[in-house]
Amino acid sequence: NAGVTQTPKFQVLKTGQSMTLQCAQDMNHEYMSWYRQDPGMGLRLIHYSVGAGITDQGEVPNGYNVSRSTTEDFPLRLLSAAPSQTSVYFCASSLVGGTMPQHFGDGTRLSIL
Amino acid sequence: SQQGEEDPQALSIQEGENATMNCSYKTSINNLQWYRQNSGRGLVHLILIRSNEREKHSGRLRVTLDTSKKSSSLLITASRAADTASYFCATDGPYKYIFGTGTRLKVLA
């Protein structure tokens, strides 16, 4: 099925650990993005990419790293997990950034102890 | 900072009634989008309205846009229990989408 696939769906980490959240899309979308969703805060943009090899920071990039080596994949790395990074993370893609509808994955629920 | 602010934050109605939620934003836009999020799931795109459009329909959904007031409204007619979800507006920015904080809609059977 075409769409955005995020793995894992759930993860528990200890403070200071690192991990990578995976995101893949099979719609040949140029634009991909990562958001975090916290209660009462809506979605906040962490990083985005307008194509392979091109990434940029969003509203809340600190503590996160991204790369885009292929059109299909856009992993999000937590360098040293902190309790403040406990959140639900969503990956999304669209044909063109800012002007076209986004397709979202079902999220990764991350808890940092 | 959030560009869009939805109002109300929460809404509870009976099945068959209409539901209206509003979105206000701060800066000029090229387009505004509405998304639905069911509990535990990702967001699903509902409708996109461009800045030169005033009204758009899609099935039971009606979206209006007033660029002079920097506001949009989403009307769901003849609501169903399956419409229970959170609804978000999103405005465009340079290569970005900026989301509001959402309206939680509960439709009672």
Side-chain angles (χ1 to χ4, degrees), chain A residues 4 9 11 16 19 21-23 25-26 29 31 40 43-44 52 55 61 63-64 67 74 77 89 93 100 107-108 113:
Chain A
V4 178
K9 294 190 187 305
Q11 184 71 48
M19 81 159 293
L21 308 186
Q22 301 292 344
C23 175
Q25 52 91 9
D26 58 3
H29 285 170
Y31 183 88
L43 277 76
R44 291 183 291 169
T55 63
Y64 307 94
S67 60
F74 191 42
R77 297 181 188 84
Y89 292 86
S93 73
M100 299 291 285
T108 293
L113 305 178

Side-chain angles (χ1 to χ4, degrees), chain A residues 1-13:
Chain A
N1 291 337
V4 178
T5 303
Q6 290 185 239
T7 56
K9 294 190 187 305
F10 303 92
Q11 184 71 48
V12 178
L13 292 178

Side-chain angles (χ1 to χ4, degrees), chain B residues 50-105:
Chain B
R50 304 198 184 280
S51 60
N52 61 354
E53 297 175 309
R54 291 297 167 258
E55 187 170 313
K56 205 161 183 180
H57 297 254
S58 177
R60 293 184 296 112
L61 306 180
R62 174 180 167 248
V63 168
T64 61
L65 178 64
D66 187 335
T67 53
S68 67
K69 295 181 179 178
K70 291 188 169 59
S71 68
S72 174
S73 67
L74 171 66
L75 168 69
I76 304 173
T77 60
S79 63
R80 305 165 182 169
D83 295 327
T84 294
S86 292
Y87 293 82
F88 295 87
C89 67
T91 54
D92 67 313
Y95 302 108
K96 299 177 187 177
Y97 304 79
I98 305 171
F99 284 83
T101 52
T103 292
R104 295 187 309 278
L105 173 65

Side-chain angles (χ1 to χ4, degrees), chain A residues 31 41 59 98 100 102 109, chain B residues 1-2 35 40 92 95 97:
Chain A
Y31 183 88
M41 298 290 289
E59 184 185 358
M100 299 291 285
Q102 288 194 104
R109 284 143 188 83
Chain B
S1 62
Q2 298 295 331
Y35 289 81
D92 67 313
Y95 302 108
Y97 304 79

Side-chain angles (χ1 to χ4, degrees), chain A residues 98-99, chain B residues 28-32 48-52 65 91-94:
Chain A
T99 60
Chain B
S28 61
I29 60 172
N30 294 309
N31 69 75
L32 185 144
L48 180 153
I49 186 166
R50 304 198 184 280
S51 60
N52 61 354
L65 178 64
T91 54
D92 67 313

